[in-house]
Amino acid sequence: MNYSMVLYILGYMLKFESAFLMLPFLVGLIYSEDTSLSYLVVAVVCLVLGGLLTHKKPTSPSLYTREGFVTVALSWIVMSIFGAIPLVLTGDIPSYVDALFETISGFTTTGASILTDVEALSHASLFWRSFTHWIGGMGVFVFIMAILPLMGGSTMNLMKAESPGPSVSKLVPHVKDTAKILYGMYIGITLCEIVLLCVFGMPLFDSLCTTFGTVGTGGFGIKNNSIAAYSPTLQIIVTIFMILSGINYSFYFFILSKKIGDAFHIEEVRWYLLLILVSAGAIIYDIRHLYPTLGEAVRHAFFQVGSIITTTGYGTTDFDLWPSMSKTILVILMFIGACAGSTGGGMKVSRLVILFKTIKKELSLIIHPREVRKIRVDGHIVEHSILRSTNVFLVIYFVLLLSSTLFISIDEFDFTTNFTAVVSALNNIGPGLNQVGPTQNFSIFSVFSKFVLMFDMLAGRLELFPMMVLFMPSTWKHK
């Protein structure tokens, strides 16, 4: 383990977090909030610690897969630990455990909250909560790599550990250029939504916070009733951008490169859009009698389907009151999630495509034992390493899901509450059902259960492996 390199990168991460913390400080100054000084204090602390860790570059800059996974996992933990401090210092969230839960939920773009009255927070804290979604959506290391070269080709190991999906590929030959392209598209989509929301009547502050949660697929609202507080037109805009944010960013790269055919050749994107249409159609039929007009049922159905499959977690209605079939569809979508290479969570559509093709292959081999068939996605053969990784991911996923549900059951809440709380945390969604439904929150859980859910949120955002590697003794041994 190259400890010096791990600490060096942690130092850079703290420096960037220091810069990020200056934004809520400035927001607080604009709204004349004295509590905003808390963000300045923590920003200075992060800057000093980051400076101490980066004052001397390591003699061995090598960063292999093991170091990459450990660095990313520790960075997200440390980033959350420091990011929670201002919420406590301002008095907005007095309990540090609750503040840490809220911050991890923000960075991992989960959107699960312990707050009962969101509107009571200062503007600085409201901005910080939402901005953590935007930071975590594309990934802090993708942002750092877009600006700094760090350690050359080894940065691919950081991107592999942080980026969502069964495999990570470069859009262009150099990792730094790939990071720049990704963040360029990310910023472009962000600016488009901010402008549209403002044009159609949403205040600038609300537009910024809502967009951070939409494009980052996070879901922290700044109103107690989430997006239901806004007009149907604004809800439709948010719906469109949630769905756009759940699409693989390679799709947009091909579009911008004028390779339209290649863009729509991506199987995952086609399945993702089909799932949204079929799910929304089924729910519209199921809830049509609950709303005054069919148009309102259509709007709520597409919004909630888009919100859940992209793991954003915004709400325009209490879907916990919907019929069983509609709620079942939403729970299934919680597991599926968005596309790989997007800002969304869940197991990812691409993994399920690979899984179903694997099942089809195995069933075919039973009938034709001598048949030689390769699994292909987008016309390319899926490598054995990706198939193995996908299978292991699914095993770890369900072991973690079941064990976490068992652990938090000590709080004696009903099964639906416990199960959907874990599903929500592990898939970075936000709302669940029953006592953690769209109009409820996670404050009901004990400290122990909150730590279990915090681990699940981090594991879900980092695709399980980086967090699991931390528990292997061999990880920490010198070569």
Side-chain angles (χ1 to χ4, degrees), residues 301-358:
F302 270 100
F303 187 97
Q304 293 307 155
V305 167
S307 178
I308 296 301
I309 195 171
T310 61
T311 70
T312 304
Y314 279 144
T316 56
T317 186
D318 187 359
F319 59 76
D320 200 22
L321 301 177
W322 284 359
S324 294
M325 187 183 83
S326 295
K327 291 192 288 187
T328 302
I329 290 172
L330 292 180
V331 171
I332 292 172
L333 294 179
M334 289 181 184
F335 283 98
I336 296 172
C339 296
S342 72
T343 59
M347 290 194 289
K348 306 296 180 302
V349 176
S350 60
R351 281 198 179 91
L352 294 179
V353 170
I354 292 173
L355 176 64
F356 280 110
K357 288 192 174 188
T358 302

Side-chain angles (χ1 to χ4, degrees), residues 65 380 393:
T65 302
H380 302 292
F393 174 91

Side-chain angles (χ1 to χ4, degrees), residues 5 27 70 98 108 127 202 280 301 324 330 337 363 439 441-442 449:
M5 197 63 207
V27 169
V70 169
D98 285 347
T108 59
F127 183 90
M202 186 180 284
S324 294
L330 292 180
L363 291 175
T439 61
N441 59 72
F442 285 68
S449 293

Side-chain angles (χ1 to χ4, degrees), residues 21-32 36 39 124:
L21 284 164
M22 290 302 295
L23 292 178
F25 166 67
L26 294 174
V27 169
L29 288 182
I30 293 171
Y31 287 94
S32 301
S36 65
Y39 288 91

Side-chain angles (χ1 to χ4, degrees), residues 1-13 53 58 60 62-63 66-68 70-72 74-75 141 476:
M1 175 64 69
N2 190 345
Y3 288 103
S4 59
M5 197 63 207
V6 172
L7 292 173
Y8 182 72
I9 298 173
L10 282 174
Y12 265 113
M13 185 277 301
L53 291 173
S60 175
S62 300
L63 195 75
R66 177 172 61 163
E67 284 88 351
V70 169
T71 301
V72 167
L74 290 180
S75 293
F141 280 105
W476 306 99

Side-chain angles (χ1 to χ4, degrees), residues 444-458:
I444 59 173
F445 290 106
S446 65
V447 170
F448 172 76
S449 293
K450 285 174 183 173
F451 272 104
V452 172
L453 294 171
M454 282 188 268
F455 177 84
D456 289 343
M457 287 189 280
L458 286 166

Side-chain angles (χ1 to χ4, degrees), residues 278-447:
V278 171
S279 300
I283 290 176
I284 290 168
Y285 177 80
D286 199 35
I287 67 170
R288 67 193 186 284
H289 62 284
L290 297 179
Y291 298 96
T293 65
L294 180 62
E296 191 172 347
V298 170
R299 173 163 51 85
H300 288 308
F302 270 100
F303 187 97
Q304 293 307 155
V305 167
S307 178
I308 296 301
I309 195 171
T310 61
T311 70
T312 304
Y314 279 144
T316 56
T317 186
D318 187 359
F319 59 76
D320 200 22
L321 301 177
W322 284 359
S324 294
M325 187 183 83
S326 295
K327 291 192 288 187
T328 302
I329 290 172
L330 292 180
V331 171
I332 292 172
L333 294 179
M334 289 181 184
F335 283 98
I336 296 172
C339 296
S342 72
T343 59
M347 290 194 289
K348 306 296 180 302
V349 176
S350 60
R351 281 198 179 91
L352 294 179
V353 170
I354 292 173
L355 176 64
F356 280 110
K357 288 192 174 188
T358 302
I359 293 172
K360 183 180 178 180
K361 175 188 173 183
E362 292 302 317
L363 291 175
S364 180
L365 285 174
I366 293 174
I367 302 171
H368 307 288
R370 296 184 179 181
E371 181 183 43
V372 178
R373 176 183 291 189
K374 297 290 185 180
I375 295 174
R376 296 176 181 272
V377 175
D378 300 334
H380 302 292
I381 295 175
V382 179
E383 297 177 6
H384 177 71
S385 60
I386 295 176
L387 293 175
R388 185 186 69 243
S389 175
T390 300
N391 293 333
V392 173
F393 174 91
L394 292 171
V395 171
I396 296 175
Y397 178 92
F398 284 106
V399 168
L400 191 55
L401 173 67
L402 296 175
S403 59
S404 296
T405 304
L406 176 63
F407 290 150
I408 71 169
S409 67
I410 63 172
D411 287 345
E412 295 294 334
F413 296 118
D414 62 277
F415 176 77
T416 301
T417 296
N418 292 334
F419 183 72
T420 57
V422 173
V423 171
S424 169
L426 194 55
N427 294 294
N428 307 134
I429 294 161
L433 297 175
N434 283 10
Q435 295 186 65
V436 290
T439 61
Q440 307 296 324
N441 59 72
F442 285 68
S443 62
I444 59 173
F445 290 106
S446 65
V447 170

